[in-house]
Amino acid sequence: MMDEFNATKLDEIRAKISESRKAKKTCITVCGGTGCHAYGCLEVAEAFKDEIKKRNLQDVIDVRITGCHGFCERGPITVIQPEGIFYQRIQLKDIKEVISETIINKKIVNRLLYTEPRTKEKIVLEKEVPFYKKQRRIIFGNNGFIDPTDINDYIALDGYKALVKVLFDMTSEEVIADIKASGLRGRGGAGFPTGKKWEICREVISDVKYIICNADEGDPGAYMDRSLLEGNPHSVIEGMIIGAYAIGASLGFIYVRMEYPLAVKNVTMAVEQVKHLGLLGESILGSEFKFDIHIFRGAGAFVSGEETSLMASIEGRRAFPKQRPPYPANEGMWGKPTNINNVETWANVPLIINKGAEWYSEIGTKNSKGTKIFSLVGKINNTGLVEVPMGIKLREIIYDIGGGIKDNKKFKAVQTGGPSGGCIPADKLDLSIDFESLTKAGSMMGSGGMIVMDEDTCMVDVARYFLDFTQEESCGKCVPCRIGTRQLVEILTRITKGKGDEKDLEKLNDLSKSIKDGSLCALGQTAPNPVLTTIRYFGDEYEAHIKEKSCPALVCKDLIIYNIEPEKCVGCLLCLKNCPVDAISGERKKVHVIDQELCIKCGACLDVCPPKVSAVSKYTGNKKDRILKKASRQRAKK
Amino acid sequence: VEKIMSESNKDHKELIHLLHDAQKKFGYIPADSISQISRELKISESEIFGVLTFYKAFALKPRGKHLITICLGTACHVRGAPMIIDEFERKLGIEAGETTEDNLFTLETVNCVGACALGPIAIADGDYHGQMKMREVDEIIKKLKKEQGKDS
C-alpha cells in the first residue's frame, strides 16, 4: 500500500482537496441524521442532485449529505453554504424553487425559513436561529459540513492534524499533560478526569494495553453519541489514536449499539478508510507507532454501558459487572490494562491538541470544562441536540434554545442522567449545568439526556417507568439490585393503581437506600435516583395518589375517567366509530355517552375528537367520583 | 499454558459476532447453529445459551414476516408511547414480544432508537413512523397486510 505515506503527504492531500473544491462555490448540505432520515432527507438530496444535473450545474454546485445538524424538530434540514441559508421542513416539491430562486436568482424562499414562534420573525441564516444562537458547537459544529462517509471532508477541515502534531512533536507525557491541563472530564456520566485516567493506565507496565470507545449509548432519550459517530466518526477515531499513543495501547475497540445501524455503518466505513490511508496499522504516518481499531456491535443490554460489563461483553461473555478494584486501568480486558472513554470524550481530544489546553479550559466553569452535548427531548418545542458551554443555566437551555414547552403548557421538571439520574423541578431552573451542581440537586450529568416534562406528565408514573426499565435491565448479579428494583416497581405500580398506603413512601426510601448500598455497579447504585428525586421534589403527587387516589396529571389509567362533555359534543360519530370496545353510544347530531363500565381508557376518543370541538375530557379524584355516581344513577333509572 | 489461554480467549471473543451473523441470516438462532458454534469455538452449548439469552438482540424463535418495533424511550413515553403499544397489542391480538399465529407480525419494544424528535415512534420493517397517533396504528397494519397480499 502506501509505504511512504507520511505527514507531508497528508498535507498535500489536504491542499489538493481544498483546491478541487474551490470550483464548487455553492454547497447544498442536507442533514442525514436518523431524525431527518425518517423525514425523508435521502429523497430530498436525490431530488437536488437530479435537478442540478438537469440544469447542468453539477460543476459549480455540490450536494452533500452531512451528519446531524441537531435541530431534529425541523427536519429535513437543508443549509446552503457558504452563506449558511437555513431551510427547514423541506419537501420534494420545494426543490425546483430552491434551485431556481435561491441558487440562481439569489432570492430567499420565505416559506421555507424558520419562523420565531413569539415574534413571527423569519430567520434566514442558520447561526441566527435562536436554537443555535446560545450554543457553542465546538465538537458538533463540523457535523453540518462533513459527509461522514468521505474521509476527505474531515481531512479538508484540518482532520488528523492533531494526530500529526502528537506523533512528531509531542511525547506521550506531553499529550497527557495537555489533556490534564485542559480539565477534560469523562462525558459518559461519572465525570472522571480524562488525563488522570490515561496517566494511571500509562504507568502500568504490561506487554499489551487496550483502549475502548464506549458507544453503547443505552440511556433512553439520549442520542448525542450516535449523532457524533454517524456524523463525524473521524473525530472520534482521531481522538482514539491520540489516546492510544499517549497510553501506549496497540489495540482499540469501538463498542457500538446494534440499535444504531447507521452509526455502525458509518464508523465501520470510517475505520476502513483510515486503514486504507495508513493512519491505522503498522508504522502510522511513517512513525514507529502502531495501532489498530476493531468495531464491536453490542447486542442489546443496557448494563453493557458499564465499563466492566462492556469489557466482559467484548470478551464474548454475558455483560456482568466486576468488583472494582482492580480498576480496568490495571486489569481490564483479558486481564490487561484497559482505558475506556465515551464517544464524546474521545471527540474532544483532537480539539484540545489543535487549539491548546488553555483555549479549552477557558470554556466552562471552575471544575467542569468545555462543552457538553445534550439531547433536549420530551415536551419541548425545539427537540434536538444542543451543545452548550458548561455552566449555562438550565433556563437558558429550555427557554432560549429549546423555545419553551410544547403547546404553551407549564414546565414541570427536567429529567437528566437517564435511568440513573433524577428529576429537577421548576424552582431549580436557574441551576448551573455542571457536574457538581447536578449531583447536588440529586440528579447527575449522565451521558446527556435531558427529558422535559410538563404539567401532563405524572411524576409517579415517570418513576415507575424508570424502575421498570432498570428492573428489566438489571443483570441479576447483585441481589439488592435484582430483587430490590422489582420491589420498587411493585410498590410504585400499586401507587399508580390507587392501591398505595401511607407506609409506602417510607418503604420506597428504605429500599432505595439498601439498593444503593448493596450493588456492585452504577446501574444498581443509581437505579433508585428517579424514585428518590421524585419523592423529594414531587411528594405532593405521591400523596395525591396514595391519600386521594387521584392522579393530578391525569395519566394513571386506574385513577382517571374519560368523559364526553354534553355541551360540547356535536355528535359527529367519530369517537363512536373509533372506540375499540364499543363503549360509546349515541346517534348523529346527538350527544355521545361513554359507558364507564366498558371503557378501557385507551384514549382513542380523545385522540380523534376534532381539536375545535374537543369534547372529551379526563377527570380524576372527586370530579371523577361525581361523574361515576351520576352515571350509575342514570343506569339504575333505565 | 498462558498461550493456550490467550488463544482460547480470542476464540471466545468471536462468540457474539457469530451470534449476530446467525441472527441476521436466519432471523433467529437455530438450535443446530448453537451446536456448530459450540464445536467451532470449543465453548459449551450451555454457556452459549447463557450468553444469547442474556442479550436482547438474539431470539430463539423465528420472527414473523413483518417486524413492528415500538420505541419505549423516555421521550416517547412522556409523549404517549404506552397508548400506542396498547393499541398495537389490541389490534394484533398479541402482547409485545410475541408473534401472531399466522406468522405475519412480530411486535417488539426497544428502549430507545434515538429519534426523540419524532416520538412516539413505531418502526415497521425498518420504516420510521413518527409522531404516531392511535388511529395510525390500524393504517400501518393494513398497509403491511396489503403488501403481503400483493406478494403472494
Side-chain angles (χ1 to χ4, degrees):
Chain A
M1 226 176 42
M2 300 187 176
D3 302 316
E4 77 287 33
F5 189 73
N6 54 34
T8 338
K9 277 268 160 66
L10 188 65
D11 280 336
E12 282 169 21
I13 292 180
R14 188 174 293 124
K16 225 158 100 191
I17 299 166
S18 323
E19 192 55 40
S20 73
R21 289 200 172 155
K22 265 188 191 155
K24 295 189 180 187
K25 284 209 174 82
T26 307
C27 180
I28 301 174
T29 61
V30 180
C31 174
T34 294
C36 285
H37 257 261
Y39 286 122
C41 70
L42 290 185
E43 288 82 6
V44 167
E46 270 318 303
F48 267 124
K49 281 185 192 158
D50 287 347
E51 187 64 25
I52 287 169
K53 223 183 210 166
K54 238 190 254 167
R55 293 169 183 259
N56 219 359
L57 291 168
Q58 60 265 43
D59 293 334
V60 282
I61 306 171
D62 206 3
V63 178
R64 205 174 293 165
I65 300 173
T66 67
C68 177
H69 287 237
F71 202 177
C72 310
E73 186 75 36
R74 294 273 137 193
I77 287 170
T78 296
V79 180
I80 295 163
Q81 304 289 6
E83 296 89 349
I85 300 166
F86 183 79
Y87 285 149
Q88 42 109 53
R89 297 253 164 107
I90 194 158
Q91 304 292 319
L92 288 177
K93 60 176 170 46
D94 304 321
I95 308 292
K96 265 192 181 144
E97 199 179 338
V98 171
I99 299 280
S100 61
E101 287 304 302
T102 309
I103 307 280
I104 297 174
N105 294 335
K106 304 279 169 217
K107 271 191 213 147
I108 302 293
V109 182
N110 264 320
R111 78 186 134 82
L112 295 174
L113 292 176
Y114 174 77
T115 314
E116 218 293 309
R118 270 163 296 191
T119 58
K120 304 280 173 227
E121 184 196 351
K122 298 261 182 195
I123 295 162
V124 179
L125 298 179
E126 183 175 33
K127 59 175 193 233
E128 299 292 326
V129 174
F131 176 77
Y132 292 108
K133 241 182 171 174
K134 275 214 173 172
Q135 292 193 46
R136 180 115 196 235
R137 295 158 59 88
I138 57 174
I139 305 288
F140 214 43
N142 276 347
N143 260 28
F145 296 97
I146 289 177
D147 175 352
T149 60
D150 187 355
I151 190 172
N152 289 338
D153 277 14
Y154 183 66
I155 293 177
L157 288 171
D158 288 345
Y160 293 105
K161 229 181 194 171
L163 179 64
V164 172
K165 185 171 168 192
V166 163
L167 285 182
F168 300 103
D169 298 335
M170 291 170 89
T171 64
S172 304
E173 287 81 4
E174 283 168 343
V175 177
I176 290 179
D178 247 21
I179 300 296
K180 272 172 107 175
S182 73
L184 174 66
R185 294 170 66 174
R187 298 295 193 243
F192 193 81
T194 306
K196 180 95 191 140
K197 200 174 192 174
W198 290 11
E199 191 175 53
I200 297 169
C201 195
R202 177 178 167 75
E203 280 167 1
V204 182
I205 296 161
S206 171
D207 54 343
V208 183
K209 286 179 191 175
Y210 301 110
I211 61 165
I212 300 173
C213 168
N214 184 350
D216 191 55
E217 190 177 39
D219 282 6
Y223 61 107
M224 49 268 135
D225 290 350
R226 191 200 62 195
S227 282
L228 269 176
L229 272 190
E230 279 177 8
N232 196 352
H234 288 290
S235 65
V236 180
I237 294 170
E238 187 177 7
M240 284 180 78
I241 308 176
I242 294 170
Y245 172 79
I247 292 162
S250 53
L251 186 58
F253 290 88
I254 301 179
Y255 189 104
V256 50
R257 271 180 104 201
M258 59 104 197
E259 287 92 335
Y260 291 170
L262 189 62
V264 175
K265 187 176 146 233
N266 286 1
V267 77
T268 308
M269 200 187 281
V271 168
E272 276 165 20
Q273 289 171 348
V274 177
K275 278 185 190 167
H276 185 73
L277 215 60
L279 292 165
L280 271 181
E282 303 284 328
S283 157
I284 293 174
L285 287 169
S287 72
E288 280 168 18
F289 175 59
K290 63 168 193 179
F291 178 63
D292 202 2
I293 292 180
H294 291 185
I295 310 279
F296 191 96
R297 280 171 296 165
F302 175 69
V303 72
S304 53
E306 193 277 334
E307 55 181 17
T308 58
S309 319
L310 188 146
M311 291 177 207
S313 187
I314 294 183
E315 289 174 2
R317 297 168 208 285
R318 283 190 276 181
F320 271 178
K322 264 196 265 189
Q323 168 87 47
R324 292 173 300 184
Y327 286 95
N330 292 299
E331 273 178 49
M333 268 191 304
W334 296 291
K336 302 291 183 188
T338 307
N339 177 80
I340 177 164
N341 282 122
N342 157 274
V343 174
E344 199 183 328
T345 316
W346 289 118
N348 270 283
V349 171
L351 198 77
I352 294 170
I353 300 293
N354 274 335
K355 299 214 172 184
E358 204 178 315
W359 171 84
Y360 188 86
S361 64
E362 276 167 12
I363 308 168
T365 66
K366 186 165 165 271
N367 291 318
S368 305
K369 298 293 184 196
T371 61
K372 175 81 193 91
I373 307 177
F374 287 101
S375 71
L376 188 60
V377 301
K379 305 281 189 72
I380 185 105
N381 276 321
N382 301 337
T383 304
L385 293 174
V386 303
E387 182 179 348
V388 290
M390 295 274 192
I392 193 171
K393 299 275 181 283
L394 189 55
R395 185 186 300 279
E396 293 175 87
I397 298 183
I398 290 174
Y399 288 95
D400 299 342
I401 297 173
I405 312 300
K406 254 191 175 11
D407 304 323
N408 285 322
K409 298 258 181 177
K410 217 171 111 198
F411 170 82
K412 186 185 266 180
V414 61
Q415 207 278 346
T416 66
S420 315
C423 296
I424 301 165
D427 61 17
K428 292 225 167 0
L429 266 175
D430 288 310
L431 192 76
S432 149
I433 299 298
D434 58 70
F435 288 102
E436 280 71 26
S437 309
L438 282 167
T439 309
K440 223 173 114 194
S443 184
M444 66 191 276
M445 179 74 81
S447 57
M450 210 173 241
I451 297 116
V452 179
M453 298 167 181
D454 66 3
E455 54 193 309
D456 293 341
T457 314
C458 169
M459 300 314 283
V460 186
D461 175 66
V462 165
R464 188 198 53 77
Y465 163 83
F466 277 116
L467 263 297
D468 211 26
F469 179 92
T470 34
Q471 185 259 124
E472 178 83 10
E473 294 293 342
S474 168
C475 75
K477 188 172 181 174
C478 309
V479 179
C481 174
R482 182 178 71 225
I483 300 175
T485 51
R486 182 159 192 114
Q487 288 303 316
L488 286 180
V489 174
E490 279 176 14
I491 299 173
L492 290 166
T493 309
R494 196 158 72 214
I495 297 176
T496 56
K497 284 185 183 302
K499 292 176 184 150
D501 71 58
E502 293 188 25
K503 282 195 185 125
D504 279 346
L505 283 185
E506 206 179 306
K507 274 188 206 156
L508 287 174
N509 272 320
D510 286 352
L511 199 51
S512 295
K513 206 176 162 293
S514 319
I515 298 171
K516 273 176 170 277
D517 292 344
S519 305
L520 260 185
C521 82
L523 190 147
Q525 286 159 10
T526 57
N529 280 356
V531 183
L532 293 174
T533 53
T534 47
I535 293 181
R536 177 168 155 195
Y537 296 123
F538 302 96
D540 52 334
E541 284 193 39
Y542 279 88
E543 303 237 319
H545 281 75
I546 294 170
K547 287 185 186 155
E548 297 153 24
K549 314 289 175 206
S550 76
C551 174
L554 301 165
V555 171
C556 299
K557 264 189 183 181
D558 294 281
L559 304 178
I560 60 163
I561 54 159
Y562 287 82
N563 187 50
I564 299 171
E565 311 291 335
E567 65 275 16
K568 285 187 185 166
C569 180
V570 293
C572 69
L573 299 175
L574 253 181
C575 59
L576 191 147
K577 281 183 195 152
N578 278 283
C579 179
V581 291
D582 296 326
I584 301 175
S585 55
E587 287 169 39
R588 179 168 290 282
K589 300 214 168 154
K590 279 191 182 155
V591 171
H592 302 346
V593 182
I594 299 175
D595 184 337
Q596 298 295 347
E597 283 193 346
L598 292 177
C599 176
I600 52 166
K601 296 165 193 174
C602 69
C605 47
L606 183 69
D607 188 50
V608 293
C609 189
K612 58 178 184 225
V613 179
S614 56
V616 183
S617 311
K618 294 192 273 187
Y619 290 101
T620 187
N622 288 338
K623 271 192 182 160
K624 169 190 136 200
D625 295 341
R626 272 204 299 276
I627 292 169
L628 284 180
K629 252 184 213 156
K630 200 174 151 197
S632 72
R633 266 204 310 276
Q634 272 165 352
R635 252 200 313 278
K637 253 190 230 165
K638 276 180 192 167
Chain B
V1 179
E2 205 170 63
K3 200 176 165 236
I4 302 169
M5 282 291 288
S6 73
E7 269 171 18
S8 84
N9 273 338
K10 287 232 167 70
D11 283 342
H12 211 293
K13 193 180 86 186
E14 297 303 317
L15 176 58
I16 291 177
H17 289 297
L18 286 173
L19 289 174
H20 266 304
D21 293 345
Q23 172 76 35
K24 199 173 171 195
K25 182 135 201 250
F26 304 109
Y28 72 110
I29 316 273
D32 53 342
S33 300
I34 299 179
S35 15
Q36 220 175 335
I37 294 172
S38 163
R39 278 197 303 277
E40 203 64 35
L41 299 184
K42 299 188 179 61
I43 304 172
S44 73
E45 289 191 14
S46 66
E47 199 185 333
I48 297 176
F49 190 77
V51 170
L52 82 88
T53 49
F54 183 88
Y55 294 101
K56 275 204 209 92
F58 311 123
L60 283 164
K61 277 193 218 150
R63 285 177 173 136
K65 278 221 163 105
H66 301 289
L67 177 64
I68 299 173
T69 313
I70 315 293
C71 178
L72 286 184
T74 322
C76 287
H77 179 84
V78 300
R79 288 187 181 187
M83 287 161 97
I84 302 297
I85 186 122
D86 283 353
E87 182 74 1
F88 268 110
E89 289 182 334
R90 256 195 313 276
K91 285 266 150 61
L92 294 172
I94 48 171
E95 303 256 306
E98 293 178 346
T99 302
T100 50
E101 255 176 39
D102 57 7
N103 252 336
L104 267 185
F105 294 100
T106 297
L107 184 64
E108 286 184 351
T109 60
V110 57
N111 285 337
C112 182
V113 294
C116 308
L118 296 141
I121 302 167
I123 304 163
D125 292 342
D127 286 337
Y128 286 69
H129 298 267
Q131 283 155 7
M132 283 287 297
K133 293 265 189 292
M134 282 182 70
R135 59 176 174 276
E136 288 162 7
V137 169
D138 209 31
E139 288 166 21
I140 290 177
I141 296 173
K142 275 189 184 142
K143 201 178 142 219
L144 290 176
K145 275 191 180 158
K146 211 171 153 192
E147 279 168 21
Q148 186 64 30
K150 267 187 211 156
D151 287 348
S152 56

